[in-house]
Amino acid sequence: PWTPMAKPLSESKLGLVTTAGLHVRGDRPFRSSHDGGDTSFRTISRRASAADIIQTHTSLGFDHTGIYRDINVTLPIDRLPELVEQGKIGSLSDNYYSFMGALRDVTGIVEDSGPEVARRLKDEGVEVVLLTPT
């Protein structure tokens, strides 16, 4: 995770991964689980509307208010294209990825879903990943 940048951000393709338990309306919600948590992921198209993204993160340990008011607090779906237009970021990946944070057992992410998302990002040519928390 601490690899030096090979080129400036203004020339790089950026991907986004969040642990806010977000997904597009109509997708399978993240599930509450007593077995350590839901370690699956959801794909969110870069072209999705902020109004079409909902949160089913089940942790009681954080205040959802900011995300409910503006999804860009944790998934800057409207702000990132602005940064591309300003020349601050080279380009954006076609898809963003969402996990549910506050897991008691991350084995499924380490062994399965995490490597799958990494492969997808790499296949798309992503050079930099912005990680946003819940």
Side-chain angles (χ1 to χ4, degrees):
W2 308 115
T3 303
M5 298 277 294
K7 59 185 176 181
L9 184 58
S10 61
E11 299 172 13
S12 300
K13 181 181 260 191
L14 183 130
L16 188 136
V17 175
T18 185
T19 59
L22 302 172
H23 57 87
V24 176
R25 192 177 310 279
D27 280 354
R28 182 173 47 95
F30 286 96
R31 64 179 169 75
S32 179
S33 169
H34 297 291
D35 63 353
D38 187 341
T39 60
S40 63
F41 67 91
R42 305 293 179 275
T43 302
I44 300 172
S45 170
R46 171 172 49 103
R47 290 167 182 78
S49 164
D52 291 331
I53 299 170
I54 59 174
Q55 183 182 51
T56 55
H57 194 294
T58 57
S59 174
L60 300 174
F62 75 98
D63 184 356
H64 299 255
T65 306
I67 295 170
Y68 292 158
R69 288 185 181 154
D70 184 1
I71 200 72
N72 286 278
V73 167
T74 194
L75 187 82
I77 199 158
D78 298 321
R79 304 292 77 86
L80 290 177
E82 294 169 356
L83 293 171
V84 171
E85 289 176 23
Q86 296 170 12
K88 307 283 186 191
I89 298 171
S91 63
L92 300 171
S93 61
D94 289 332
N95 294 300
Y96 303 140
Y97 298 94
S98 179
F99 292 89
M100 187 171 75
L103 302 174
R104 291 178 304 282
D105 182 358
V106 296
T107 305
I109 291 177
V110 171
E111 294 178 355
D112 299 313
S113 56
E116 173 65 16
V117 167
R119 183 192 60 74
R120 290 176 180 213
L121 291 165
K122 187 175 180 180
D123 287 350
E124 195 175 331
V126 169
E127 301 159 297
V128 177
V129 175
L130 175 62
L131 301 172
T132 63
T134 48

